[in-house]
Amino acid sequence: MSCAAWLLAVAIGAPVAAQSSDAGGTAGPGEEPDAPPRLPLLGPTSLSATSSSLLQWRGDDLDVHEHDDRVLVGVERLEMLAQGDRVSVSLRLDALLPLFVRDGASWRQPCPEGLEPTCRIRPDFRLERLSVQWRSEPWLVELGDGTLALGRGIALSLTRIDTLGVDTSHRGLRVGHDDGRLFGQLAGGLFAIPALRDARGPAGTLLLPVGGAVNPQNVDRLEDMAVVPDGRDVLLVAEGGGRLGAHRDIELAAHAVRAWFDEDPESAITADGWVLGWRMTAPSLFDGSIAVHLEADAMRLDHVQRRLGLHRRRWGRAALAQVVWSAGPTSVQVDVQDLRAFLLAPDGAPPRRTYGTAPVLDRTGEVMEDASNARGAALRVGHGFEPGPWSATAGLAGYGHSPDAREDPWTGSRARAVGHGWLEIERRAIGAETDWSLTVVAGVRRHVFLEQSPYPGVGSGDLEWSTVHGTVDFGLSSGIHALEIRLEHREERRRDVRGRLAPWRRGGLTISYANADTDLSVAPMLLWNTERDVPGLRLGPLTAGRNLYPGLEARWQLGDGRHTLRLFAGRTPATRLCSNGVCRDVPAFEGVELEAVLRI
């Protein structure tokens, strides 16, 4: 599979190589010797291809299901681009081929009776992305798959989020205009959409020239290599605005999103909604000393269950303000946000069907639960001790949140408050022949119940969850050699199923060595997580006692960095990953990965 992709990529890249080679073919009449090939409709065209091949042996993911263990999976992603003067054509092919060897070799996943919904690993090959783009300033026309975002992504964000294993595109027609002063875009297409006229009326379908389909990535590479079918969620997007001032450095814009969500196969619930909003961005006020971003959105979301005649309407709002002040080596950033039941997704949707993001007040990497129903503020102060290489940053974040979208995040019966303070001290490398860098982070984070708790004898103001965390990252370089040592550790306490504050710890130690002459890096690591030993926590005691997770990763850069080979062998613990307010639980992994990225 990866070999075929490699051969196809070579075939596409061959004309470029031939044109650029001194010993290559002869240039045509009137052409420069190194001129790119000319293709019909595209004119002079640069061709490129990227092949990402992954061979993964999955041993035990430490869950209660054994039918997804002991499988060899090959995954291929081939991306090709033909870039002309004004027109570009891109496509992506995805393929997956599993081989199960638990009870004899088989291409099909052995699936126990009653567990069919969990058996989602199967051979798959598809044209995942196809896009044709025409650009002639100030116009842009795109047909097919493309990324799409509005402002900071609160109202809409169809992009790639590697942290969550999400890669979603908008499939349809997008027309954009930007002359420097005025800008706007309209994205849609011609698709069949569900008609949500009345909960008691018959299910219907309207064929309207309004809406581009949402195209999620079909292979869940982050969790279990499951093949996820395409949905039929449809979006219509409009945006318009202008730039004010002599330097056009104040941007004002308004936007609207109309969404129709596909029916949930289990509950038979369909949903549709609206988002209307505006934003103002001024990145360089008062000679660049102040940057401001303001945004406000309103949302209406309807859920309909036709068989039972049920209709539920939910209103949401989002407002945020960010101000950054800089004066020499000192900077101050203030963030304020208020989100009430604001997330462009049907209730209970997985991350791949979440089409908006919630800004995170907390420090990057922290789990901000219920970010779509939270209100609070954050302050960050940084100072560089010039002319030396040292700097320091202090941060403080506080917010209330509730898992019930109908409740206020500060006064609701299930509301919690979170407070987090941290300090980061950094020494950057200065470019000497032998040099070193250091980053030290320490912080304390506390969650408390605001109104009531589900545990007897635990009430308002009592602790729900506390964390003390620290990170030390030391780097040393000398000539062609580079060494990095990173240590992270967290001491945590959280209420277990009986309401007791149960302690556990997690962290990791990684030692990386890189050699610039061979472009080879090696990183042995040891991770630890004792959360599985605490009954009733999020991950549960699925395999109690498996607390240490050793691993080894090696990377080799080839072809002046254009090609990469990566090998990983070992274990990684189950964890919760979050990005921009969207979270997912990722199971543990035990096995071997061999990945090759080839660029032509």
Side-chain angles (χ1 to χ4, degrees):
M1 180 171 52
S2 58
C3 292
W6 169 244
L7 293 174
L8 184 55
V10 170
I12 292 176
V16 179
Q19 291 284 349
S20 60
S21 174
D22 291 338
T26 305
E31 293 184 358
E32 297 291 334
D34 294 328
R38 300 184 65 88
L39 297 182
L41 303 179
L42 301 182
T45 305
S46 62
L47 303 174
S48 61
T50 300
S51 170
S52 301
S53 306
L54 176 67
L55 188 63
Q56 182 186 86
W57 165 254
R58 302 180 65 86
D60 185 1
D61 58 5
L62 309 182
D63 62 9
V64 296
H65 304 303
E66 297 181 348
H67 54 275
D68 58 354
D69 299 337
R70 297 181 62 82
V71 55
L72 181 67
V73 182
V75 182
E76 171 64 29
R77 175 187 295 172
L78 177 62
E79 300 172 279
M80 293 175 282
L81 171 65
Q83 178 68 59
D85 260 348
R86 295 185 177 181
V87 179
S88 64
V89 181
S90 62
L91 66 85
R92 181 178 128 193
L93 302 174
D94 283 7
L96 182 144
L97 184 62
L99 177 63
F100 296 89
V101 296
R102 184 172 183 84
D103 298 311
S106 172
W107 303 111
R108 300 185 61 183
Q109 184 175 13
C111 192
E113 185 177 353
L115 295 177
E116 288 80 3
T118 66
C119 300
R120 304 182 299 164
I121 308 176
R122 62 178 184 271
D124 187 73
F125 176 80
R126 68 182 67 226
L127 176 61
E128 180 62 36
R129 301 279 194 270
L130 177 62
S131 175
V132 179
Q133 189 179 99
W134 174 81
R135 185 185 296 272
S136 179
E137 299 295 342
W139 292 96
L140 168 69
V141 179
E142 183 178 55
L143 180 63
D145 293 289
T147 60
L148 190 58
L150 299 173
R152 297 288 177 90
I154 303 174
L156 179 68
S157 179
L158 300 181
T159 57
R160 179 174 175 176
I161 308 175
D162 289 331
T163 304
L164 301 179
V166 172
D167 188 1
T168 305
S169 70
H170 177 269
R171 175 170 290 175
L173 175 66
R174 181 167 70 99
V175 179
H177 176 276
D178 190 345
D179 61 10
R181 178 69 68 179
L182 299 176
F183 63 91
Q185 62 177 331
L186 179 67
L190 182 65
F191 296 93
I193 61 177
L196 303 179
R197 288 187 286 271
D198 185 84
R200 295 174 176 82
T205 298
L206 300 177
L207 190 63
L208 299 177
V210 293
V214 177
N215 179 29
Q217 177 175 275
N218 295 97
V219 177
D220 190 348
R221 298 177 60 155
L222 187 63
E223 186 170 341
D224 57 0
M225 292 298 180
V227 177
V228 181
D230 284 328
R232 294 186 297 173
D233 297 340
V234 176
L235 300 177
L236 171 65
V237 182
E239 178 190 36
R243 300 180 181 92
L244 309 177
H247 301 289
R248 303 178 181 181
D249 53 357
I250 300 178
E251 183 176 292
L252 295 173
H255 50 255
V257 180
R258 182 72 168 103
W260 296 267
F261 298 104
D262 194 13
E263 180 179 289
D264 182 84
E266 296 183 6
S267 64
I269 293 178
T270 55
D272 75 321
W274 288 87
V275 175
L276 299 174
W278 68 273
R279 68 179 187 274
M280 189 275 282
T281 301
S284 185
L285 296 176
F286 302 101
D287 297 326
S289 62
I290 295 180
V292 177
H293 179 83
L294 306 174
E295 185 167 345
D297 295 281
M299 183 182 71
R300 190 197 77 187
L301 196 61
D302 291 290
H303 289 79
V304 174
Q305 218 288 359
R306 297 184 182 281
R307 288 191 308 229
L308 301 178
L310 301 178
H311 175 249
R312 183 176 71 257
R313 173 165 291 178
R314 188 180 80 207
W315 295 91
R317 71 167 187 259
L320 69 91
Q322 182 184 83
V323 179
V324 180
W325 172 76
S326 302
T330 303
S331 65
V332 178
Q333 177 178 322
V334 178
D335 294 271
V336 180
Q337 73 177 44
D338 178 14
L339 272 72
R340 283 295 309 276
F342 194 94
L343 192 63
L344 187 58
D347 288 348
R352 64 184 179 85
R353 292 189 67 200
T354 301
Y355 305 136
T357 61
V360 176
L361 288 172
D362 218 329
R363 181 173 176 267
T364 301
E366 297 294 333
V367 175
M368 183 174 175
E369 297 183 332
D370 312 315
S372 61
N373 196 46
R375 182 167 64 247
L379 172 67
R380 294 170 176 82
V381 180
H383 181 77
F385 299 97
E386 297 179 346
W390 292 89
S391 63
T393 301
L396 182 64
Y399 56 92
H401 67 92
S402 174
D404 190 338
R406 300 167 296 179
E407 293 186 342
D408 185 89
W410 281 94
T411 61
S413 62
R414 302 176 65 188
R416 275 87 159 158
V418 179
H420 185 199
W422 68 93
L423 176 65
E424 179 176 340
I425 299 175
E426 181 179 9
R427 197 268 186 191
R428 68 180 187 276
I430 58 177
E433 176 66 20
T434 298
D435 207 350
W436 61 281
S437 63
L438 177 68
T439 301
V440 179
V441 181
V444 178
R445 194 168 186 252
R446 292 173 63 85
H447 302 235
V448 298
F449 297 103
L450 286 175
E451 293 295 330
Q452 62 186 37
S453 80
Y455 311 111
V458 180
S460 176
D462 288 335
L463 184 66
E464 180 198 21
W465 186 4
S466 69
T467 303
V468 177
H469 63 87
T471 302
V472 177
D473 194 333
F474 173 77
L476 177 65
S477 61
S478 178
I480 63 172
H481 307 285
L483 177 70
E484 181 181 5
I485 302 174
R486 181 179 179 85
L487 172 65
E488 298 178 80
H489 186 73
R490 301 173 72 94
E491 291 285 337
E492 314 227 21
R493 292 191 304 155
R494 192 173 188 177
R495 301 280 176 183
D496 62 15
V497 69
R498 288 167 287 191
R500 299 179 303 181
L501 282 171
W504 85 93
R505 55 187 55 88
R506 57 191 173 101
L509 173 65
T510 304
I511 302 175
S512 305
Y513 168 76
N515 186 293
D517 269 0
T518 60
D519 292 321
L520 177 67
S521 64
V522 180
M525 62 191 71
L526 178 64
L527 309 180
W528 51 86
N529 190 332
T530 65
E531 187 174 6
R532 288 176 175 270
D533 291 340
V534 181
L537 287 184
R538 183 182 64 248
L539 301 177
L542 300 179
T543 309
R546 184 72 64 87
N547 297 331
L548 296 180
Y549 301 83
L552 175 69
E553 182 175 79
R555 290 178 181 268
W556 190 17
Q557 301 286 337
L558 302 170
D560 297 326
R562 291 182 298 118
H563 313 308
T564 303
L565 293 178
R566 182 183 71 89
L567 172 68
F568 172 81
R571 299 173 180 163
T572 58
T575 187
R576 168 163 286 191
L577 301 176
C578 294
S579 177
N580 294 326
V582 181
C583 299
R584 69 178 299 185
D585 292 324
V586 178
F589 171 79
E590 180 181 73
V592 180
E593 286 186 344
L594 178 61
E595 184 176 18
V597 179
L598 311 175
R599 300 178 179 88
I600 299 178

